[in-house]
Amino acid sequence: MTSNNRWCDVDWRTMESKAVKGIHVLGDATLSAAGMPKSGHIANAHAKVCAAALVELLNGREPNPNPVMNNTCYSFVSDKEAIHVASVHQYDAGQGAIIPVKGAGGVSSTRSELEGAYAWSWARNIWADMLG
Ligand SMILES: Cc1cc2nc3c(=O)[nH]c(=O)nc-3n(C[C@H](O)[C@H](O)[C@H](O)COP(=O)(O)OP(=O)(O)OC[C@H]3O[C@@H](n4cnc5c(N)ncnc54)[C@H](O)[C@@H]3O)c2cc1C
């Protein structure tokens, strides 16, 4: 089901495989878009875009033409301090691709305990989101 004998190229509006119609692919298995990381957070975002698109398709409607996905990754650098990287990606119909949104996202200016607290909040939120 791969597009380059390695990863699955998808339509970023629906996460549908370009190689096999009717199959939707999420997470690390996808052929990464420009600037898009492989992460648990972005896999969760893939799933949300996919689920929303499937609801539209199953009801005979067009999916959102410009879906947005975001990513945040925290890394602890001590038992209390963390750093992060974040990015936002939006489908551009003109380019037929999902591209990083200019000026959105970024990286930590410095390690801090405050970021460590944010990292735990991120973790609790995504666990609640995914695991209920
Ligand atoms: C060291 C490390 C640190 C990371 N830190 C972060 C972080 O801080 N934040 C973040 O968001 N992401 C982080 N990531 C990335 C994140 O773990 C992955 O992007 C995410 O797990 C991808 O989810 P997935 O469901 O697409 O794939 P996976 O989690 O890899 O799940 C795929 C599953 O399919 C199973 N599988 C494979 N082949 C078969 C088969 N033939 N039949 C049946 N099952 C099969 C595998 O065993 C696996 O369980 C980190 C990754 C690593 C390695």
Side-chain angles (χ1 to χ4, degrees):
M1 281 197 274
T2 60
S3 291
N4 63 349
N5 288 326
R6 207 168 164 80
W7 307 109
C8 303
D9 201 4
V10 297
D11 181 332
W12 293 100
R13 293 165 297 187
T14 61
M15 305 307 296
E16 185 177 27
S17 165
K18 289 185 178 173
V20 184
K21 295 297 164 199
I23 299 293
H24 297 252
V25 183
L26 312 175
D28 283 11
T30 55
L31 176 64
S32 292
M36 183 185 285
K38 290 187 192 281
S39 76
H41 191 117
I42 203 85
N44 177 279
H46 292 170
K48 287 177 172 145
V49 166
C50 182
L54 288 178
V55 168
E56 298 307 310
L57 292 170
L58 289 170
N59 284 285
R61 300 187 295 253
E62 284 296 311
N64 180 357
N66 302 106
V68 178
M69 301 180 186
N70 61 78
N71 181 68
T72 313
C73 281
Y74 285 95
S75 299
F76 274 92
V77 292
S78 74
D79 60 340
K80 292 199 174 79
E81 297 167 305
I83 54 176
H84 81 272
V85 56
S87 58
V88 181
H89 309 262
Q90 182 163 32
Y91 192 82
D92 183 304
Q95 296 189 41
I98 192 162
I99 55 174
V101 175
K102 283 188 185 140
V107 299
S108 306
S109 54
T110 185
R111 58 195 278 173
S112 69
E113 290 190 14
L114 181 60
E115 291 232 22
Y118 291 158
W120 276 111
S121 294
W122 171 86
R124 289 190 192 98
N125 275 296
I126 202 157
W127 289 331
D129 194 31
M130 291 192 298
L131 305 175

